[in-house]
Amino acid sequence: MRALKAVVALVAVLTPVACGIVGAQAPGNFVMVSGKVTAVSGDSITVTPIGQGQAVAARIAEDTRLERVDPASFSDIKVGDTVRVMGARRPEGDQPMPALRIQLGEAGAPAGGGGRGGFGGMPAKVKTTDPFVVTIEGQGDRPFVVTQDTEVVQVKPLARDDIKVGEWAMLFGTREGDTVTARFLRVGAGVVSALPGTIKTATKGALTIEVPGGTQVQVKLPDGTAILSQKSSTPSDIKTGELVAVVPATFQMGGEGDIEASRLFVGEIPSGNAGWIAGGAAPMPMMVVSGSVSKADPLTIRVGQDKRAVKLAQGATVVRLARAFSFDLKPGQEVTVAGRMTPDGSFIARGVLLSAQ
């Protein structure tokens, strides 16, 4: 039960940033899938991933947490609002932490009604919006820096009858035998943080991609969008000082100990949360560990102030990422775009990963 509560708390805070809309194999008896609602009937819901993975049919129980998550903007946030803020890194001293994601509003109630939500995260009250400072009960004030890359979502309670076929969704549940029970369900465009698809048109500062299933999405490419190419590599090509992102072969709680890797990315690792480059390869994409190589043989990486040994699991792959440019984006190419949905249905990218050629 402790493991379930810990994982649910982590998923609730990090999923919209870390997980795309491809299926992800969660640890043990846990099941996690992001995609679109393809069926709703009574107390049952089916979520089908866009891209890889199989559809998951789950039972909505009386204690299932239901939330609607819609894109919002920083101007929607007012003094006194309740928020949860995910930062890019731990602040040093009193320095403001860059805000990756701001969740506005309380979490949803159980499907059966009653009770308050509040999976994961530390609820805080907005003290000021310029500069952005929040007050955490018992911990005092905490300043954040809001940038054009900061994602803002509005979270509201969701009634079971309001779930519709065709909506974006993220489902986290547990499996007992052949039955999956939803423990946490989020619905709405605010759950989307990565989209796999094929480029249909490419112009300066914009793409149109077609995701599996035929839906076309307009993608905006602001200045500074990371565009990356990838190719197969080998462990012997890894050099001291290079940046790496490690996909664990198994789920690990906490941030200590050696890592057994199923996939290793090296080279131009994107800043912030790098889980989107792993897609469905990660047991849980938010578990991707980023750092720098402190020793190439045996492979050891530095994560913050800690050093962690990395062992490649049987069949593990090494992928080298390199910088690419907007003129490398051409119709017909398969890509994964990472970023956030906007209220008008377009997608603002902070990163584009070209499929291996």
Side-chain angles (χ1 to χ4, degrees), residues 42-289:
D43 63 354
S44 176
I45 183 172
T46 301
V47 177
T48 301
I50 304 297
Q52 309 174 45
Q54 297 181 340
V56 173
R59 180 178 68 92
I60 300 176
E62 289 296 308
D63 60 351
T64 299
R65 298 281 175 166
L66 302 177
E67 297 177 358
R68 177 166 294 283
V69 185
D70 291 318
S73 63
F74 187 73
S75 62
D76 295 322
I77 298 174
K78 310 299 181 187
V79 172
D81 283 342
T82 298
V83 296
R84 289 175 173 82
V85 186
M86 178 183 172
R89 56 174 172 78
R90 290 184 179 275
E92 299 178 2
D94 295 330
Q95 292 184 355
M97 178 187 295
L100 287 177
R101 180 174 180 272
I102 303 172
Q103 175 179 298
L104 173 62
E106 293 289 343
R116 290 187 60 190
F119 283 127
M122 187 70 69
K125 292 290 186 181
V126 177
K127 182 176 182 179
T128 62
T129 57
D130 187 14
F132 184 48
V133 179
V134 302
T135 302
I136 301 174
E137 185 175 356
Q139 297 187 24
D141 295 346
R142 184 167 298 178
F144 289 90
V145 176
V146 178
T147 71
Q148 65 176 5
D149 295 325
T150 301
E151 179 187 18
V152 182
V153 295
Q154 173 78 58
V155 179
K156 298 179 180 178
L158 174 67
R160 185 185 316 185
D161 293 342
D162 290 337
I163 303 172
K164 307 299 182 186
V165 170
E167 293 193 288
W168 300 105
M170 189 287 295
L171 182 150
F172 178 82
T174 53
R175 184 188 300 276
E176 294 183 12
D178 295 331
T179 302
V180 175
T181 300
R183 302 298 181 185
F184 185 60
L185 177 66
R186 283 184 157 177
V187 172
V191 305
V192 181
S193 64
L195 289 168
T198 302
I199 297 176
K200 303 300 290 184
T201 64
T203 59
K204 184 178 180 180
L207 298 173
T208 300
I209 67 169
E210 183 175 286
V211 301
T215 301
Q216 293 195 3
V217 179
Q218 304 299 314
V219 180
K220 301 175 183 178
L221 305 177
D223 291 342
T225 299
I227 302 175
L228 303 172
S229 63
Q230 58 178 316
K231 66 177 182 179
S232 297
S233 187
T234 63
S236 61
D237 288 335
I238 300 173
K239 303 293 188 293
T240 300
E242 289 194 297
L243 298 178
V244 293
V246 183
V247 180
T250 57
F251 175 77
Q252 294 175 289
M253 286 297 294
E256 300 178 352
D258 297 349
I259 308 172
E260 185 178 25
S262 64
R263 182 174 291 189
L264 184 70
F265 294 89
V266 60
E268 291 285 340
I269 305 300
S271 60
N273 190 299
W276 64 274
I277 63 176
M284 294 181 75
M286 77 284 287
M287 293 291 107
V288 172
V289 180

